[in-house]
Every structure is written in C-alpha cells, then in structure tokens.
Amino acid sequence: MESKKLRIKVSESQKEMIVTYMENHPDLNKGGLTYTFTKKMRQNLWQELTDQLNSKGTCIKTMDKWIKCWSDLKQEVKKRFSEREQYKNGTGKRPSSKDLSELDLRVLALIGTDGYAGLKVKETAPRIVSSYFFLNAFC
C-alpha cells in the first residue's frame, strides 16, 4: 500500500515573505534572464529565499517547490481578481462582495493586470465612411 505524503499548507507569514522578497528583487519576479541577471544569480536568489522560508515556518520545501508555490500564488490572485472584475462588470455594475486582501493587491502590483483583465480602452462610436471613398479606394 502506497503511503500518502502529508501536505502542510504554506503559512501566511511565508506568503508574506515571498511577496516581500519579490518586491525587493524585481529581476527574480520578471523571470527573464539578461546580461546583468544570469541563471546563476536567479538560482542563488531562489536558494536564499528557500533557506529563509524553510527557517521561518512549519512548511519546508525544496527550491523547485517554492518556485511552484510562487507561481500558484500568482495564479490564485489572478483568478480572484478576474472573478471579481467579471462580477463587477456584470449586469447592474454591482460591487463585488469578494474583496482582495492586502497581500493580493501587492501580488497584483508585482504582476500587473493588463494581460488577463484587459486594457482600459475608451469606447467610441464607429466612424461612417463615405461610400464614394470606399468605392474609389478599391476600384
């Protein structure tokens, strides 16, 4: 019989530590590599964060698991934000009953909202094009 691993949840203080660390290390949050931010530097920063997180809570993970934890946290916040926006933009423009936490707002500030919430674009009426111009342009 296979034994199941006991799952210990990441504490709120550990989530707070991850977000604070990402705020202090914007290159690590972006995920990309440059001439000034190498793969080795990224790995060293993640290892440093892993050591800090493992020393401060009951949840102990490997570096790869903490990277996954950060990814999951971002996804959860994006999902809550999107659900809130959909509700808010629904019929009646009613306010959402689901408020985002202070930690959620900090994560949103790090990752931005344009990619999944859409850009705020002012809607305008369609332009009427003269049929004369239209016919002469294609003939």
Side-chain angles (χ1 to χ4, degrees):
M1 191 171 180
E2 224 176 282
S3 65
K4 292 188 178 188
K5 289 184 181 180
L6 179 64
R7 274 200 133 147
I8 299 174
K9 285 184 135 187
V10 177
S11 70
E12 287 300 313
S13 64
Q14 286 174 316
K15 289 179 184 179
E16 174 80 27
M17 285 177 66
I18 294 172
V19 173
T20 301
Y21 197 85
M22 292 301 166
E23 289 170 337
N24 294 332
H25 298 89
D27 289 332
L28 187 60
N29 176 46
K30 291 176 190 167
L33 300 175
T34 64
Y35 290 113
T36 58
F37 187 70
T38 63
K39 183 177 180 180
K40 184 72 173 164
M41 292 170 75
R42 180 178 63 190
Q43 195 169 13
N44 288 341
L45 287 174
W46 270 112
Q47 189 58 54
E48 180 182 314
L49 178 58
T50 297
D51 295 341
Q52 289 176 15
L53 291 165
N54 287 341
S55 69
K56 296 290 183 191
T58 56
C59 184
I60 297 176
K61 298 176 181 265
T62 63
M63 182 173 65
D64 291 336
K65 297 283 185 184
W66 283 116
I67 293 171
K68 174 82 167 97
C69 180
W70 170 237
S71 178
D72 291 347
L73 179 61
K74 292 188 294 185
Q75 285 303 112
E76 290 167 12
V77 171
K78 285 179 192 178
K79 182 179 177 185
R80 282 193 294 271
F81 177 78
S82 293
E83 288 172 351
R84 187 175 177 269
E85 289 298 299
Q86 281 181 332
Y87 186 83
K88 184 176 82 175
N89 294 329
T91 305
K93 303 275 185 193
R94 56 191 175 209
S96 172
S97 60
K98 298 178 182 178
D99 287 331
L100 297 173
S101 70
E102 186 259 334
L103 190 66
D104 290 346
L105 295 174
R106 288 174 58 200
V107 171
L108 283 173
L110 285 167
I111 62 177
T113 60
D114 291 345
Y116 49 90
L119 298 172
K120 303 292 183 204
V121 178
K122 183 179 178 182
E123 292 186 27
T124 59
R127 278 189 2 209
I128 298 175
V129 178
S130 166
S131 59
Y132 174 79
F133 172 75
F134 183 77
L135 291 174
N136 288 334
F138 295 104
C139 293

